[in-house]
Amino acid sequence: VTDAAPAVLGGSAAAASGRPVRAVVYGVGAMGSILTRLLVEKGAQLVGAVGRSPAKVGRDLGEVAGLGVKLGIPVSDDPAEVLAQAGADVAVVAVASYLGPMYDHFRVCLENGVNVVTIEEESFFPWSTAPELAGRLDELAKRHGATLMGSGAQDAYWMTLPSVLMGAAHRVDSVHGCTRWNVDDYGPEVADHVHAGWLPEEFDAHVAAHGWPSFVVRNTLDALVADAGLTPSEVKTAVTPVIAAEPIQSRALGRAVARGSLLGVTDTATITTEEGPSFEFRQTGCVYAPGESDLNEWVVRGEPAELRLRNDRVPTRLATCTQVINRIPDVINAPPGFLTVTDLPRLRYRHFALDRYVRVP
Ligand SMILES: NC(=O)c1ccc[n+]([C@@H]2O[C@H](COP(=O)([O-])OP(=O)(O)OC[C@H]3O[C@@H](n4cnc5c(N)ncnc54)[C@H](OP(=O)(O)O)[C@@H]3O)[C@@H](O)[C@H]2O)c1
C-alpha cells in the first residue's frame, strides 16, 4: 500500500489490497485477446485461461492472445478446474451472447466465488428479457459472495453518455440513439449473430421461424430507462437486414459477402414509459465498406428543445475492452449479486494498477 492509495480510492478510509488483482480470461477470441493485453498492462496477475478449440487449448495464453510473450498460463478447456484452482478475484468473460447459452459459464465462476465482468450483452440489464435466469444467477452470486456485471461498449457510449446528456435537461420528451459498428472488428461469434453473409430470404425465413431476440439495443435501452427511474409501458423491437450493394471482403467471415447478401442488420428498440418520455435506439452492426467508421449519436428533446451528442470514428472494439478493465475494481468492491451499471458507480479511468482501486474491508 503506498501513500497515494487513499487518494486513488477516492478518499475512502479503506486500504488498497497490496497485491495484484488475480484474473482469469474466459474466452480467448477477438475480445479475450485484447482483454489479456490490457490486464497485463494494468498490473493484473493472469492466473487462468479458458478456451475451446483444439487449436488454442494447451497453448500459452500470451501466445494465443498474440502478445508475443509467454504468460505461463496454459489455455484450458476445463473451466471447472481452472475456476476452482486459480484463486482468482475476477473472470473476464467474452464467449457468446444471451444469458441462456452463457448461464453455465457464469455459474461455474460464481460457484467458485469468482467475480465476473462480461461483455455478454443481455447481462448489461437482464431484468426485463431474462428475469428468471438473472434471478438464479443473482441468488447464486449472493450465496457464494461474488458479483456479476455486464459491461462493454454500451457502458460509456450507449448508456452513461446519453444518461449524462439527459441530466442537462429540465424536461425530457424523447431520447433517440443511433450507433454503428463494424462486424469485422470482432470474431465469428458476432458475425454469426448479425447473420453476415446470409441471403435475405434465408434471414427472413429464420426470423419468421424463430423471431428476433433483440441484439444489444433492447437491454441497453432498458438500462437507460431504469437509470432515469422510469417505468416501461410498451417495448417494441424491429430488425432490418443491411444488404451488400457490391461484394465486400469480410475478415470475420474469412470470405467475401456477395452482392445482395447480408452485411449485417439494423436493430431498433423503442420504449414508451408510464411517466411520458419515450426512447428509441437504433444500431447497425455490419461488415463495413472501405472508408466507413463507427458512430455514436444521441438526441434528447424536451426543454431545452434539443440536446445533441455525437462521437465520430468511435474505436468501439478497443473501447469495449477498456471499459471491462476499468470496471474490474467496481465489481470486486461491490456487494454480491447480479448487478448492473445502474447499481454501480460511474465508469472511471484507472490510471494505476487495478489493485490500487480495490478496497480491503
Ligand atoms: N458488449 C460489447 O460491447 C461486446 C463487444 C464485442 C463482442 N461482444 C460479445 O462478446 C462475445 C465474444 O466476442 P468476440 O468478438 O471475442 O468473439 P470470438 O472472437 O468469436 O470469441 C469467442 C471466444 O469464445 C470461445 N468459446 C466459445 N465457446 C466456448 C466454450 N464453451 N468454452 C470456452 N470458450 C468458448 C471461443 O473459443 P475458440 O476460439 O477456442 O473456439 C472464442 O475464442 C460475443 O458474444 C459478442 O457478441 C460484446
Side-chain angles (χ1 to χ4, degrees), residues 28-31 51-53 56 96-97 105 119 121 153-154 187-189:
V28 197
M31 297 298 98
R52 174 182 59 176
S53 64
K56 294 179 182 175
S97 302
H105 297 297
I119 55 172
E121 296 86 350
Q154 50 275 69
E189 200 58 54

Side-chain angles (χ1 to χ4, degrees), residues 24 31 68 70 74 86 97 115 142 144-145 156 181 199 221 224 226 257 279 282 287 291 302 318 324 350 358:
V24 165
M31 297 298 98
K70 292 200 171 177
S97 302
N115 302 296
K142 285 174 175 152
H144 294 280
W181 47 264
L199 292 168
L221 209 54
L224 188 59
V257 176
F279 294 75
R282 195 170 75 246
V287 178
L318 182 56
V324 168
R350 311 295 184 178
V358 172

Side-chain angles (χ1 to χ4, degrees), residues 81-104:
E81 186 182 58
V82 169
L83 272 303
Q85 293 183 0
D89 302 300
V90 68
V92 293
V93 182
V95 170
S97 302
Y98 302 110
L99 270 196
M102 288 303 296
Y103 184 87
D104 280 337

